[in-house]
Amino acid sequence: TIVAGFGRVGSLVCDELTSAEIPLVVIERAPGRLAEIERMGYLHVTGDATEESTLSEAGLDRARVLVTAMASDAETVFITLTARQMAPKVMIVARAEQPSTLKKLRQAGADHVVLPAAIGAHRIVSLLTNPTAVEFAELVTQRSSLAIEMDDVPIRSGSPLDAKTLRDADIGRRTGTIVIAVKRADG
């Protein structure tokens, strides 16, 4: 995983990736942030992530994921365009500050776009309107000592569960699994 930008969001992304034991390389051009990157022991490339040579030096051709964590939406769009042209199969997760940038980043080739301010606002309202559900979601999704896992389980055509209702499938009794959502082929 390559993380472009080691500011407020990028450093948190790196912390989370490290906690998940996912190897990473940081691209950062600000000299003032390099000491912290080195102190954390992260592999890094000093340079401008909008430049092809910097993305190449970071190993874009070998990366599975590129996270653009820049504060500037214009830079994020440019990095996304450049990376998509250089590595068509890499997954690009892009940070955006303005909701109007979401469409531009999708057109530039981002697979996922995250708007931290929108996520924060949504979480605040969720805490006010449904605090128990938020607490449960945090309990299940954050790394903890609980023996709880969440996973997607695709039901393919021809599976014994294909075309069965949840009641008829009796998944809970048979497996101990709790189904919390069903996502149909049409979304």
Side-chain angles (χ1 to χ4, degrees):
T1 298
I2 298 171
V3 179
F6 194 74
R8 184 174 41 97
V9 172
S11 63
L12 292 171
V13 169
C14 290
D15 290 346
E16 292 290 326
L17 290 171
T18 300
S19 292
E21 298 181 0
I22 297 173
L24 64 103
V25 176
V26 178
I27 299 174
E28 179 57 57
R29 69 173 170 235
R33 294 184 178 149
L34 297 177
E36 176 67 11
I37 293 168
E38 289 174 359
R39 188 183 71 72
M40 297 301 295
Y42 298 142
L43 294 175
H44 66 281
V45 172
T46 304
D48 184 343
T50 65
E51 297 289 333
E52 288 183 18
S53 59
T54 304
L55 291 169
S56 290
E57 186 180 348
L60 183 62
D61 60 327
R62 297 180 310 278
R64 286 185 333 130
V65 179
L66 168 66
V67 177
T68 62
M70 309 298 284
S72 161
D73 283 357
E75 283 183 301
T76 300
V77 170
F78 198 81
I79 293 167
T80 301
L81 278 168
T82 304
R84 179 56 66 219
Q85 176 268 319
M86 291 175 65
K89 295 187 186 214
V90 72
M91 177 191 293
I92 300 174
V93 180
R95 166 200 180 180
E97 286 301 311
Q98 300 301 318
S100 60
T101 307
L102 192 141
K103 182 179 174 185
K104 294 175 184 98
L105 282 165
R106 292 268 188 211
Q107 290 172 336
D111 297 289
H112 304 282
V113 180
V114 177
L115 289 102
I119 291 170
H122 177 74
R123 183 155 186 276
I124 289 168
V125 172
S126 295
L127 281 166
L128 297 173
T129 60
N130 203 348
T132 303
V134 172
E135 288 173 11
F136 175 75
E138 287 177 350
L139 178 70
V140 173
T141 59
Q142 290 181 355
R143 303 200 182 288
S144 68
S145 60
L146 292 174
I148 296 174
E149 291 183 29
M150 285 183 71
D151 206 352
D152 294 331
V153 181
I155 307 299
R156 307 212 187 288
S157 181
S159 161
L161 298 175
D162 186 26
K164 284 194 175 180
T165 65
L166 286 174
R167 181 185 311 268
D168 292 342
D170 200 19
I171 294 169
R173 187 187 60 73
R174 289 185 23 230
T175 67
T177 300
I178 299 170
V179 177
I180 58 169
V182 174
K183 182 177 179 184
R184 300 192 188 287
D186 63 2

